[in-house]
Each structure stands twice: as C-alpha cells, then as structure tokens.
Coordinates of all heavy atoms in Angstrom, one line a residue:
M1 N -123.0 -142.5 -81.3 CA -123.8 -141.6 -80.5 C -124.0 -140.3 -81.4 O -123.2 -139.8 -82.0 CB -122.9 -141.2 -79.3 CG -123.5 -140.1 -78.5 SD -122.6 -139.7 -77.0 CE -122.9 -141.1 -76.0
T2 N -125.2 -139.9 -81.3 CA -125.6 -138.6 -82.0 C -125.4 -137.4 -81.1 O -125.2 -137.6 -79.9 CB -127.1 -138.7 -82.4 OG1 -127.9 -138.7 -81.3 CG2 -127.3 -139.9 -83.3
I3 N -125.5 -136.3 -81.7 CA -125.4 -135.0 -80.9 C -126.6 -134.9 -79.9 O -126.4 -134.5 -78.7 CB -125.4 -133.8 -81.8 CG1 -124.1 -133.8 -82.7 CG2 -125.5 -132.5 -81.0 CD1 -122.8 -133.7 -81.9
A4 N -127.8 -135.3 -80.3 CA -128.9 -135.3 -79.4 C -128.7 -136.2 -78.2 O -129.0 -135.9 -77.0 CB -130.2 -135.7 -80.1
E5 N -128.1 -137.4 -78.4 CA -127.8 -138.3 -77.3 C -126.7 -137.7 -76.4 O -126.8 -137.9 -75.1 CB -127.3 -139.7 -77.8 CG -128.4 -140.4 -78.5 CD -127.9 -141.6 -79.3 OE1 -126.7 -141.8 -79.5 OE2 -128.8 -142.5 -79.6
L6 N -125.7 -137.0 -77.0 CA -124.7 -136.4 -76.2 C -125.3 -135.3 -75.3 O -125.0 -135.2 -74.1 CB -123.6 -135.8 -77.1 CG -122.5 -135.0 -76.4 CD1 -121.6 -135.9 -75.6 CD2 -121.7 -134.2 -77.4
K7 N -126.2 -134.5 -75.9 CA -126.9 -133.4 -75.1 C -127.7 -134.0 -73.9 O -127.7 -133.5 -72.8 CB -127.8 -132.6 -76.0 CG -127.0 -131.6 -76.8 CD -127.9 -130.8 -77.8 CE -128.7 -129.8 -77.0 NZ -129.4 -128.9 -77.9
A8 N -128.4 -135.1 -74.2 CA -129.2 -135.8 -73.2 C -128.4 -136.3 -72.0 O -128.8 -136.3 -70.9 CB -130.0 -136.9 -73.8
E9 N -127.2 -136.8 -72.3 CA -126.3 -137.3 -71.3 C -125.6 -136.1 -70.5 O -125.4 -136.2 -69.3 CB -125.1 -138.1 -71.9 CG -125.6 -139.4 -72.5 CD -125.9 -140.5 -71.4 OE1 -125.4 -140.4 -70.3 OE2 -126.8 -141.3 -71.7
L10 N -125.3 -135.0 -71.2 CA -124.7 -133.9 -70.5 C -125.6 -133.0 -69.6 O -125.2 -132.5 -68.6 CB -124.0 -133.0 -71.5 CG -122.7 -133.5 -72.2 CD1 -122.3 -132.5 -73.2 CD2 -121.7 -133.6 -71.1
K11 N -126.9 -132.9 -70.0 CA -127.9 -132.1 -69.3 C -128.0 -132.4 -67.8 O -127.9 -131.4 -67.0 CB -129.2 -132.1 -70.0 CG -129.3 -131.2 -71.2 CD -130.7 -131.2 -71.7 CE -130.8 -130.3 -72.9 NZ -132.2 -130.3 -73.5
P12 N -128.1 -133.6 -67.4 CA -128.3 -133.8 -66.0 C -127.0 -133.4 -65.2 O -127.1 -133.1 -64.0 CB -128.5 -135.4 -65.8 CG -128.9 -135.8 -67.2 CD -128.3 -134.9 -68.2
I13 N -125.9 -133.5 -65.8 CA -124.6 -133.1 -65.1 C -124.5 -131.6 -65.0 O -124.1 -131.1 -63.9 CB -123.4 -133.8 -65.8 CG1 -123.5 -135.3 -65.8 CG2 -122.1 -133.3 -65.2 CD1 -122.5 -135.9 -66.7
L14 N -124.7 -130.9 -66.1 CA -124.4 -129.5 -66.1 C -125.6 -128.6 -65.9 O -125.5 -127.4 -65.8 CB -123.9 -129.1 -67.5 CG -122.5 -129.8 -67.9 CD1 -122.2 -129.4 -69.3 CD2 -121.4 -129.5 -66.9
K15 N -126.8 -129.2 -65.6 CA -128.0 -128.3 -65.5 C -128.1 -127.6 -64.2 O -128.8 -126.6 -64.1 CB -129.3 -129.1 -65.8 CG -129.7 -130.0 -64.6 CD -131.0 -130.6 -64.9 CE -131.4 -131.5 -63.7 NZ -132.7 -132.1 -63.9
N16 N -127.4 -128.0 -63.2 CA -127.5 -127.4 -61.9 C -126.8 -126.0 -61.9 O -125.9 -125.8 -62.8 CB -126.8 -128.2 -60.8 CG -127.5 -129.6 -60.6 OD1 -128.7 -129.7 -60.8 ND2 -126.8 -130.6 -60.2
S17 N -127.2 -125.1 -61.1 CA -126.6 -123.8 -61.1 C -125.1 -123.8 -60.7 O -124.4 -123.0 -61.2 CB -127.4 -122.9 -60.1 OG -127.3 -123.4 -58.8
G18 N -124.7 -124.8 -59.9 CA -123.3 -125.0 -59.6 C -122.9 -126.3 -60.2 O -123.5 -127.3 -60.0
F19 N -121.8 -126.3 -61.0 CA -121.3 -127.5 -61.6 C -120.6 -128.3 -60.6 O -119.5 -128.0 -60.1 CB -120.4 -127.2 -62.8 CG -119.8 -128.3 -63.5 CD1 -120.6 -129.3 -64.0 CD2 -118.5 -128.5 -63.7 CE1 -120.1 -130.4 -64.6 CE2 -117.9 -129.5 -64.3 CZ -118.7 -130.5 -64.8
I20 N -121.2 -129.4 -60.1 CA -120.6 -130.2 -59.0 C -119.9 -131.4 -59.6 O -120.6 -132.2 -60.3 CB -121.7 -130.7 -58.1 CG1 -122.4 -129.4 -57.5 CG2 -121.2 -131.6 -57.0 CD1 -123.7 -129.7 -56.7
M21 N -118.6 -131.5 -59.4 CA -117.9 -132.6 -60.0 C -117.7 -133.7 -58.9 O -117.0 -133.5 -57.9 CB -116.5 -132.1 -60.4 CG -115.7 -133.1 -61.1 SD -116.4 -133.8 -62.5 CE -116.4 -132.4 -63.6
N22 N -118.5 -134.7 -59.0 CA -118.4 -135.8 -58.1 C -117.9 -137.1 -58.9 O -117.7 -137.0 -60.2 CB -119.7 -136.1 -57.4 CG -120.9 -136.2 -58.3 OD1 -120.7 -136.6 -59.5 ND2 -122.1 -135.9 -57.8
K23 N -117.8 -138.2 -58.3 CA -117.3 -139.4 -59.0 C -118.3 -139.8 -60.1 O -117.8 -140.3 -61.2 CB -117.1 -140.5 -58.0 CG -116.0 -140.4 -57.1 CD -115.8 -141.6 -56.2 CE -114.6 -141.3 -55.3 NZ -114.4 -142.5 -54.4
K24 N -119.6 -139.7 -59.8 CA -120.6 -140.1 -60.9 C -120.4 -139.2 -62.1 O -120.4 -139.7 -63.2 CB -122.0 -140.0 -60.3 CG -123.0 -140.5 -61.2 CD -124.4 -140.4 -60.6 CE -125.5 -140.9 -61.6 NZ -126.8 -140.8 -61.0
A25 N -120.3 -137.9 -61.9 CA -120.2 -137.0 -63.0 C -118.9 -137.3 -63.8 O -118.9 -137.2 -65.0 CB -120.2 -135.5 -62.5
C26 N -117.8 -137.5 -63.0 CA -116.5 -137.8 -63.7 C -116.6 -139.1 -64.6 O -116.1 -139.1 -65.7 CB -115.4 -138.0 -62.7 SG -114.9 -136.5 -61.9
L27 N -117.3 -140.1 -64.0 CA -117.4 -141.3 -64.7 C -118.3 -141.2 -66.0 O -117.9 -141.7 -67.1 CB -118.1 -142.4 -63.8 CG -118.3 -143.8 -64.4 CD1 -116.9 -144.4 -64.8 CD2 -119.0 -144.7 -63.5
I28 N -119.4 -140.4 -65.9 CA -120.2 -140.2 -67.1 C -119.5 -139.4 -68.1 O -119.5 -139.8 -69.3 CB -121.5 -139.5 -66.7 CG1 -122.4 -140.4 -65.8 CG2 -122.3 -139.0 -67.9 CD1 -123.6 -139.8 -65.2
L29 N -118.8 -138.4 -67.7 CA -118.0 -137.5 -68.7 C -116.9 -138.3 -69.3 O -116.7 -138.2 -70.5 CB -117.5 -136.3 -68.0 CG -118.5 -135.2 -67.6 CD1 -117.9 -134.2 -66.7 CD2 -119.1 -134.6 -68.8
S30 N -116.2 -139.2 -68.6 CA -115.1 -140.0 -69.2 C -115.7 -141.0 -70.1 O -115.1 -141.3 -71.2 CB -114.3 -140.6 -68.1 OG -115.0 -141.6 -67.4
N31 N -116.9 -141.6 -69.8 CA -117.5 -142.5 -70.8 C -118.0 -141.8 -72.1 O -118.1 -142.4 -73.1 CB -118.7 -143.2 -70.1 CG -118.3 -144.2 -69.1 OD1 -117.2 -144.7 -69.1 ND2 -119.2 -144.5 -68.2
L32 N -118.3 -140.5 -72.0 CA -118.7 -139.7 -73.2 C -117.5 -139.3 -74.0 O -117.6 -138.7 -75.0 CB -119.5 -138.5 -72.7 CG -120.9 -138.8 -72.2 CD1 -121.5 -137.6 -71.7 CD2 -121.8 -139.5 -73.2
G33 N -116.3 -139.5 -73.4 CA -115.1 -139.1 -74.2 C -114.4 -137.8 -73.7 O -113.6 -137.2 -74.4
F34 N -114.8 -137.3 -72.6 CA -114.3 -136.0 -72.0 C -113.2 -136.3 -71.0 O -113.3 -137.2 -70.2 CB -115.4 -135.2 -71.4 CG -116.3 -134.5 -72.3 CD1 -117.5 -135.2 -72.7 CD2 -116.1 -133.3 -72.9 CE1 -118.4 -134.6 -73.5 CE2 -117.0 -132.8 -73.8 CZ -118.1 -133.4 -74.1
Q35 N -112.2 -135.5 -71.0 CA -111.2 -135.4 -70.0 C -111.5 -134.2 -69.1 O -112.0 -133.2 -69.7 CB -109.8 -135.4 -70.5 CG -109.4 -136.6 -71.3 CD -108.0 -136.4 -71.9 OE1 -107.4 -135.3 -71.8 NE2 -107.5 -137.4 -72.6
I36 N -111.1 -134.2 -67.9 CA -111.4 -133.1 -67.0 C -110.1 -132.5 -66.4 O -109.3 -133.3 -65.9 CB -112.3 -133.6 -65.8 CG1 -113.6 -134.2 -66.4 CG2 -112.6 -132.4 -64.9 CD1 -114.3 -135.1 -65.4
E37 N -109.9 -131.2 -66.6 CA -108.8 -130.5 -65.9 C -109.4 -129.6 -64.9 O -110.5 -129.0 -65.1 CB -108.1 -129.7 -66.9 CG -107.2 -130.4 -67.9 CD -106.4 -129.5 -68.8 OE1 -106.4 -128.2 -68.6 OE2 -105.7 -130.0 -69.7
Y38 N -108.8 -129.6 -63.7 CA -109.3 -128.8 -62.6 C -108.5 -127.5 -62.5 O -107.3 -127.5 -62.6 CB -109.2 -129.6 -61.3 CG -109.9 -130.9 -61.3 CD1 -109.3 -132.0 -61.7 CD2 -111.3 -130.9 -61.1 CE1 -110.0 -133.2 -61.7 CE2 -112.0 -132.0 -61.1 CZ -111.4 -133.2 -61.4 OH -112.1 -134.4 -61.4
G39 N -109.3 -126.4 -62.3 CA -108.7 -125.1 -62.1 C -109.3 -124.5 -60.9 O -110.1 -125.1 -60.2
R40 N -108.9 -123.2 -60.6 CA -109.5 -122.6 -59.4 C -110.9 -122.1 -59.6 O -111.8 -122.4 -58.7 CB -108.6 -121.4 -59.0 CG -107.3 -121.8 -58.4 CD -106.5 -120.6 -57.9 NE -107.3 -119.8 -57.0 CZ -107.1 -118.6 -56.7 NH1 -106.2 -117.9 -57.2 NH2 -107.9 -117.9 -55.8
K41 N -111.2 -121.5 -60.7 CA -112.5 -120.9 -60.9 C -113.3 -121.7 -62.0 O -114.4 -121.4 -62.2 CB -112.4 -119.5 -61.3 CG -111.9 -118.6 -60.1 CD -111.9 -117.2 -60.5 CE -111.3 -116.4 -59.3 NZ -111.3 -114.9 -59.6
H42 N -112.6 -122.5 -62.8 CA -113.2 -123.2 -63.9 C -112.7 -124.7 -63.9 O -111.6 -125.0 -63.5 CB -112.8 -122.6 -65.2 CG -113.5 -121.3 -65.4 ND1 -112.9 -120.1 -64.9 CD2 -114.6 -120.9 -66.1 CE1 -113.7 -119.1 -65.2 NE2 -114.7 -119.5 -65.9
Y43 N -113.5 -125.5 -64.4 CA -113.1 -126.9 -64.9 C -113.0 -126.7 -66.4 O -113.6 -125.9 -67.0 CB -114.2 -127.9 -64.6 CG -114.4 -128.2 -63.1 CD1 -115.6 -127.9 -62.5 CD2 -113.5 -128.8 -62.3 CE1 -115.9 -128.1 -61.2 CE2 -113.7 -129.0 -61.0 CZ -114.9 -128.7 -60.4 OH -115.1 -128.9 -59.1
F44 N -112.1 -127.6 -66.9 CA -112.0 -127.6 -68.4 C -112.4 -129.0 -68.9 O -111.7 -130.0 -68.5 CB -110.6 -127.2 -68.8 CG -110.2 -125.8 -68.5 CD1 -109.6 -125.5 -67.3 CD2 -110.6 -124.8 -69.3 CE1 -109.3 -124.2 -67.0 CE2 -110.3 -123.5 -69.0 CZ -109.6 -123.2 -67.8
L45 N -113.4 -129.1 -69.7 CA -113.8 -130.3 -70.3 C -113.1 -130.4 -71.7 O -113.3 -129.5 -72.5 CB -115.3 -130.4 -70.5 CG -116.1 -130.3 -69.2 CD1 -117.6 -130.4 -69.5 CD2 -115.7 -131.4 -68.2
I46 N -112.3 -131.4 -71.9 CA -111.6 -131.6 -73.1 C -112.1 -132.8 -73.8 O -112.2 -133.9 -73.3 CB -110.1 -131.8 -72.8 CG1 -109.6 -130.6 -72.0 CG2 -109.3 -132.0 -74.1 CD1 -108.2 -130.8 -71.4
Y47 N -112.6 -132.5 -75.1 CA -113.1 -133.6 -75.9 C -112.2 -133.8 -77.1 O -111.9 -132.9 -77.8 CB -114.5 -133.2 -76.4 CG -115.2 -134.3 -77.3 CD1 -115.7 -135.4 -76.7 CD2 -115.2 -134.1 -78.6 CE1 -116.3 -136.4 -77.5 CE2 -115.7 -135.1 -79.5 CZ -116.3 -136.2 -78.9 OH -116.8 -137.2 -79.7
Q48 N -111.7 -135.0 -77.3 CA -110.8 -135.3 -78.4 C -111.7 -135.8 -79.5 O -112.2 -136.9 -79.5 CB -109.8 -136.4 -78.0 CG -108.9 -136.8 -79.1 CD -108.0 -135.6 -79.5 OE1 -107.4 -134.9 -78.6 NE2 -107.9 -135.4 -80.8
G49 N -111.8 -134.9 -80.5 CA -112.6 -135.3 -81.7 C -111.7 -136.0 -82.7 O -110.6 -136.3 -82.5
K50 N -112.3 -136.2 -83.9 CA -111.6 -136.8 -85.0 C -110.5 -135.9 -85.6 O -109.5 -136.3 -86.0 CB -112.6 -137.2 -86.1 CG -113.6 -138.2 -85.7 CD -114.6 -138.4 -86.8 CE -115.8 -139.1 -86.2 NZ -117.0 -139.0 -87.1
K51 N -110.9 -134.6 -85.6 CA -110.0 -133.6 -86.2 C -109.0 -133.0 -85.3 O -107.9 -132.7 -85.6 CB -110.8 -132.5 -86.9 CG -111.7 -133.1 -88.0 CD -112.5 -132.0 -88.7 CE -113.5 -132.6 -89.7 NZ -114.3 -131.6 -90.3
R52 N -109.5 -132.7 -84.0 CA -108.7 -132.0 -83.0 C -109.4 -132.1 -81.7 O -110.4 -132.6 -81.6 CB -108.5 -130.5 -83.4 CG -109.8 -129.7 -83.4 CD -109.5 -128.2 -83.8 NE -110.6 -127.4 -83.4 CZ -110.7 -126.6 -82.3 NH1 -109.7 -126.7 -81.5 NH2 -111.7 -125.9 -82.1
A53 N -108.7 -131.6 -80.7 CA -109.2 -131.6 -79.3 C -110.0 -130.2 -79.1 O -109.6 -129.2 -79.5 CB -108.1 -131.7 -78.3
Y54 N -111.1 -130.3 -78.4 CA -111.9 -129.2 -78.0 C -111.9 -129.0 -76.5 O -112.1 -129.9 -75.8 CB -113.3 -129.4 -78.5 CG -113.4 -129.6 -80.0 CD1 -113.5 -130.9 -80.5 CD2 -113.4 -128.6 -80.9 CE1 -113.5 -131.2 -81.8 CE2 -113.5 -128.8 -82.3 CZ -113.5 -130.1 -82.7 OH -113.6 -130.4 -84.1
R55 N -111.6 -127.7 -76.1 CA -111.5 -127.4 -74.7 C -112.6 -126.5 -74.3 O -112.7 -125.3 -74.8 CB -110.1 -126.8 -74.4 CG -109.8 -126.7 -73.0 CD -108.3 -126.2 -72.9 NE -107.9 -126.3 -71.5 CZ -107.2 -125.3 -70.9 NH1 -106.8 -124.3 -71.6 NH2 -106.9 -125.4 -69.7
F56 N -113.4 -126.9 -73.4 CA -114.6 -126.1 -72.9 C -114.4 -125.7 -71.5 O -114.4 -126.5 -70.6 CB -115.9 -126.9 -73.1 CG -116.1 -127.4 -74.5 CD1 -115.8 -128.7 -74.8 CD2 -116.6 -126.5 -75.5 CE1 -116.1 -129.1 -76.1 CE2 -116.9 -126.9 -76.7 CZ -116.6 -128.3 -77.1
P57 N -114.3 -124.4 -71.2 CA -114.2 -124.0 -69.8 C -115.6 -124.0 -69.2 O -116.6 -123.4 -69.8 CB -113.7 -122.5 -69.9 CG -114.0 -122.1 -71.2 CD -114.1 -123.3 -72.1
V58 N -115.8 -124.6 -68.0 CA -117.0 -124.6 -67.3 C -116.8 -124.0 -65.9 O -115.9 -124.5 -65.2 CB -117.6 -126.1 -67.2 CG1 -118.9 -126.1 -66.4 CG2 -117.7 -126.7 -68.5
S59 N -117.6 -123.0 -65.6 CA -117.5 -122.3 -64.3 C -117.8 -123.3 -63.2 O -118.8 -124.1 -63.3 CB -118.4 -121.1 -64.3 OG -118.3 -120.5 -63.0
V60 N -117.1 -123.2 -62.1 CA -117.3 -124.0 -60.9 C -118.7 -123.5 -60.3 O -119.5 -124.4 -59.9 CB -116.2 -123.9 -59.9 CG1 -116.6 -124.6 -58.6 CG2 -114.9 -124.5 -60.5
T61 N -118.9 -122.2 -60.3 CA -120.2 -121.7 -59.8 C -120.8 -120.8 -60.9 O -120.2 -119.8 -61.2 CB -120.0 -120.9 -58.5 OG1 -119.0 -119.8 -58.8 CG2 -119.5 -121.7 -57.4
C62 N -121.8 -121.3 -61.5 CA -122.5 -120.5 -62.6 C -123.1 -119.3 -62.0 O -123.6 -119.3 -60.9 CB -123.5 -121.4 -63.3 SG -122.8 -122.8 -64.1
S63 N -123.3 -118.3 -62.8 CA -123.9 -117.0 -62.4 C -125.4 -117.1 -62.4 O -126.0 -116.3 -61.7 CB -123.4 -115.9 -63.3 OG -123.7 -116.1 -64.6
D64 N -126.0 -117.9 -63.2 CA -127.4 -118.1 -63.2 C -127.8 -119.5 -63.4 O -127.0 -120.4 -63.7 CB -128.0 -117.2 -64.3 CG -127.6 -117.6 -65.7 OD1 -126.7 -118.4 -65.8 OD2 -128.1 -117.0 -66.7
K65 N -129.1 -119.8 -63.3 CA -129.5 -121.2 -63.4 C -129.5 -121.7 -64.8 O -129.6 -122.9 -65.0 CB -130.9 -121.4 -62.7 CG -132.1 -121.0 -63.6 CD -133.4 -121.3 -62.7 CE -134.6 -121.5 -63.6 NZ -135.8 -121.8 -62.8
R66 N -129.4 -120.9 -65.8 CA -129.4 -121.4 -67.2 C -127.9 -121.6 -67.7 O -127.7 -122.1 -68.8 CB -130.0 -120.3 -68.1 CG -131.5 -120.2 -68.0 CD -132.3 -121.2 -68.8 NE -131.8 -121.4 -70.1 CZ -132.0 -122.5 -70.8 NH1 -132.7 -123.5 -70.3 NH2 -131.5 -122.6 -72.0
G67 N -127.0 -121.2 -66.9 CA -125.6 -121.3 -67.3 C -125.2 -122.7 -67.7 O -124.5 -122.9 -68.8
G68 N -125.5 -123.7 -67.0 CA -125.2 -125.1 -67.3 C -125.8 -125.6 -68.6 O -125.2 -126.2 -69.4
L69 N -127.1 -125.2 -68.7 CA -127.8 -125.6 -70.0 C -127.3 -124.9 -71.2 O -127.2 -125.5 -72.3 CB -129.3 -125.4 -69.8 CG -130.0 -126.2 -68.8 CD1 -131.5 -125.8 -68.6 CD2 -129.9 -127.7 -69.1
N70 N -126.9 -123.7 -71.0 CA -126.3 -122.9 -72.1 C -124.9 -123.6 -72.5 O -124.6 -123.7 -73.7 CB -126.0 -121.5 -71.7 CG -127.3 -120.7 -71.6 OD1 -128.4 -121.1 -72.1 ND2 -127.3 -119.6 -70.9
M71 N -124.2 -124.1 -71.5 CA -122.9 -124.7 -71.8 C -123.1 -126.0 -72.5 O -122.3 -126.4 -73.4 CB -122.2 -125.0 -70.5 CG -120.7 -125.4 -70.6 SD -119.8 -124.0 -71.3 CE -118.8 -124.8 -72.4
V72 N -124.2 -126.8 -72.2 CA -124.5 -128.0 -73.0 C -124.7 -127.7 -74.5 O -124.2 -128.3 -75.3 CB -125.7 -128.7 -72.4 CG1 -126.2 -129.8 -73.3 CG2 -125.4 -129.2 -71.0
S73 N -125.5 -126.6 -74.7 CA -125.7 -126.2 -76.1 C -124.5 -125.8 -76.8 O -124.3 -126.1 -78.0 CB -126.7 -125.0 -76.1 OG -128.0 -125.5 -75.6
V74 N -123.6 -125.0 -76.1 CA -122.3 -124.6 -76.7 C -121.5 -125.8 -77.1 O -120.9 -125.9 -78.2 CB -121.6 -123.7 -75.8 CG1 -120.1 -123.4 -76.2 CG2 -122.3 -122.3 -75.7
I75 N -121.4 -126.8 -76.2 CA -120.6 -128.0 -76.4 C -121.1 -128.7 -77.6 O -120.4 -129.1 -78.5 CB -120.5 -128.9 -75.2 CG1 -119.7 -128.2 -74.1 CG2 -120.0 -130.3 -75.5 CD1 -119.8 -128.9 -72.7
A76 N -122.4 -129.0 -77.6 CA -123.1 -129.7 -78.7 C -122.9 -129.0 -80.0 O -122.6 -129.6 -81.1 CB -124.5 -130.0 -78.4
R77 N -123.2 -127.7 -80.0 CA -123.1 -126.9 -81.3 C -121.7 -126.9 -81.8 O -121.5 -127.1 -83.0 CB -123.6 -125.5 -81.0 CG -123.8 -124.7 -82.2 CD -124.4 -123.3 -82.0 NE -123.8 -122.6 -80.8 CZ -124.5 -122.3 -79.7 NH1 -125.8 -122.5 -79.6 NH2 -123.9 -121.6 -78.8
T78 N -120.7 -126.8 -81.0 CA -119.3 -126.7 -81.4 C -118.8 -128.1 -82.0 O -118.2 -128.1 -83.1 CB -118.4 -126.3 -80.3 OG1 -118.8 -125.1 -79.7 CG2 -116.9 -126.3 -80.7
I79 N -119.2 -129.1 -81.3 CA -118.8 -130.4 -81.8 C -119.5 -130.8 -83.1 O -118.9 -131.3 -84.0 CB -119.0 -131.5 -80.7 CG1 -118.0 -131.3 -79.5 CG2 -118.8 -132.9 -81.3 CD1 -118.3 -132.2 -78.4
K80 N -120.8 -130.5 -83.2 CA -121.5 -130.8 -84.4 C -121.0 -130.0 -85.6 O -120.9 -130.5 -86.7 CB -123.0 -130.5 -84.2 CG -123.8 -130.8 -85.4 CD -125.3 -130.6 -85.2 CE -126.1 -131.0 -86.4 NZ -127.5 -130.8 -86.2
A81 N -120.7 -128.7 -85.4 CA -120.2 -127.9 -86.5 C -118.8 -128.3 -87.0 O -118.5 -128.3 -88.2 CB -120.1 -126.4 -86.0
Q82 N -118.0 -128.8 -86.1 CA -116.6 -129.2 -86.5 C -116.5 -130.7 -86.9 O -115.7 -131.0 -87.8 CB -115.6 -128.9 -85.3 CG -115.5 -127.5 -85.0 CD -115.0 -126.6 -86.1 OE1 -114.1 -127.0 -86.8 NE2 -115.6 -125.5 -86.3
E83 N -117.3 -131.6 -86.2 CA -117.1 -133.0 -86.4 C -118.3 -133.6 -87.2 O -118.1 -134.8 -87.6 CB -117.0 -133.7 -85.0 CG -115.8 -133.2 -84.2 CD -114.5 -133.8 -84.7 OE1 -114.5 -134.9 -85.3 OE2 -113.5 -133.0 -84.5
G84 N -119.4 -133.0 -87.2 CA -120.6 -133.6 -87.8 C -121.2 -134.5 -86.7 O -121.1 -134.3 -85.6
D85 N -122.0 -135.4 -87.1 CA -122.7 -136.3 -86.2 C -121.7 -137.3 -85.6 O -120.8 -137.8 -86.3 CB -123.9 -137.0 -86.9 CG -125.0 -137.4 -85.9 OD1 -125.0 -136.9 -84.8 OD2 -125.9 -138.1 -86.3
L86 N -121.9 -137.6 -84.4 CA -121.0 -138.6 -83.7 C -121.5 -140.0 -83.7 O -122.4 -140.3 -83.0 CB -120.8 -138.2 -82.2 CG -120.4 -136.7 -81.9 CD1 -120.4 -136.5 -80.5 CD2 -119.0 -136.5 -82.5
R87 N -121.0 -140.8 -84.6 CA -121.4 -142.2 -84.7 C -120.3 -143.0 -84.2 O -119.2 -142.9 -84.7 CB -121.8 -142.5 -86.2 CG -122.9 -141.8 -86.7 CD -124.2 -142.3 -86.2 NE -125.3 -141.6 -86.7 CZ -126.5 -141.7 -86.3 NH1 -126.8 -142.5 -85.3 NH2 -127.5 -141.0 -86.9
T88 N -120.6 -143.9 -83.3 CA -119.6 -144.8 -82.8 C -119.9 -146.2 -83.1 O -120.9 -146.6 -83.5 CB -119.4 -144.7 -81.2 OG1 -120.7 -145.0 -80.6 CG2 -118.9 -143.3 -80.8

C-alpha cells in the first residue's frame, strides 16, 4: 500500500466535521493497520510501523470542517517521513 492509497482510504472516514466511530470505520481502520483507543475528548489512532508505533490524537468533535482532512494529511506525512512508502 502506498501513502496515496492510505490517504484515499482515510479521507472518507475522517473528512466529516465530527469523527464518527462506527463499526464500519473501526473495520476499515483495523484493516489499514490502526488500533483505536477511546478517550473522553479524543480518539487515539495507533499505527504500528516498521520502526515504532505512531499515536495520532483525533478529536471526537472537530472545530471546523477541514479538521478531519488536515488530520489525514498529518497522518500520511508523518508515516511517510518516518517509514517511507508502505509496500505490503
């Protein structure tokens, strides 16, 4: 899987102004290699890379409509910078 494919899979889940965690979103995220921790104000998406685990806090209710898309970019940029391209 490439970074572009990862972004394409994450965008439909995180693009909404409120990050809604339902069974479908959990299944897609787990298939992409993310674990989900639940908090009061944030969810934590944990991605286990080759070198280390990456923990991304995602707000339960985003402050603006671009918040989810910005989070997709942060996740993709961080993983690409640390891990390189994701080939499975």
